[in-house]
């Protein structure tokens, strides 16, 4: 289980979809000839690994891309929050300077 935690998130997400998909594909490949009254085909057993590999590749690419986009959005939001915080600090500093200047002007008036 510790090795599972060290794997990249995109890989874990992909495997969580591919494993049940492969099980369903096996069930389909085994049961469909019985329901359609067709004989078992050697092509079914040859195509299975390719179906799983192509599914893993496509889903892996999708999950990897999705995680990169999420990370990019988080970075943009963090940068926007940092800029907003800096802007707020500058406004507070300017307000404090203006307040001090106004107090000084009021004290110097006779």
């Amino acid at each position: 289980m510790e090795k599972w935690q060290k794997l990249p998130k995109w890989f874990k997400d992909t495997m969580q979809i591919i494993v049940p998909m492969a099980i369903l594909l096996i069930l389909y490949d085994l049961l469909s000839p019985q329901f359609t009254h067709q004989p078992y085909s050697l092509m079914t057993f040859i195509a299975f690994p390719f179906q799983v590999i192509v599914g893993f590749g496509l889903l892996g690419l999708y999950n990897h891309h999705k995680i990169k986009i999420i990370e990019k959005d988080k970075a943009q939001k963090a940068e926007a929050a940092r800029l907003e915080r800096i802007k707020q600090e500058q406004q507070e500093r300017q307000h404090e300077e203006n307040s001090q200047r106004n107090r000084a002007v009021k004290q110097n008036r006779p």
Side-chain angles (χ1 to χ4, degrees):
M1 196 52 115
E2 187 177 309
K3 289 182 180 180
W4 180 256
Q5 298 301 327
K6 292 181 181 179
L7 293 173
K9 182 171 174 24
W10 69 267
F11 184 81
K12 291 188 286 188
D13 291 348
T14 301
M15 291 307 291
Q16 288 174 348
I17 300 296
I18 291 296
V19 170
M21 184 194 80
I23 292 169
L24 289 173
L25 252 158
I26 290 169
L27 290 173
Y28 175 77
D29 290 343
L30 291 176
L31 296 176
S32 69
Q34 294 176 0
F35 293 130
T36 60
H37 304 292
Q38 301 291 325
Y40 284 100
S41 169
L42 186 58
M43 282 305 293
T44 301
F45 298 108
I46 293 173
F48 173 77
F50 294 108
Q51 292 170 335
V52 173
I53 290 169
V54 168
F56 179 82
L58 293 175
L59 196 57
L61 287 171
Y62 170 77
N63 284 330
H64 181 70
H65 181 67
K66 179 179 74 170
I67 288 173
K68 291 294 182 188
I69 288 174
I70 290 171
E71 289 173 356
K72 185 178 176 182
D73 287 346
K74 282 182 183 179
Q76 286 176 343
K77 287 178 183 177
E79 181 65 16
R82 185 184 72 81
L83 292 174
E84 184 64 31
R85 191 174 54 250
I86 290 172
K87 182 179 175 182
Q88 184 68 28
E89 289 171 359
Q90 287 175 343
Q91 287 176 345
E92 289 172 1
R93 194 170 34 251
Q94 185 65 40
H95 179 71
E96 183 61 33
E97 289 173 7
N98 290 344
S99 296
Q100 287 176 357
R101 193 175 314 121
N102 289 340
R103 277 184 253 137
V105 169
K106 284 182 183 178
Q107 287 176 356
N108 289 338
R109 287 187 184 168

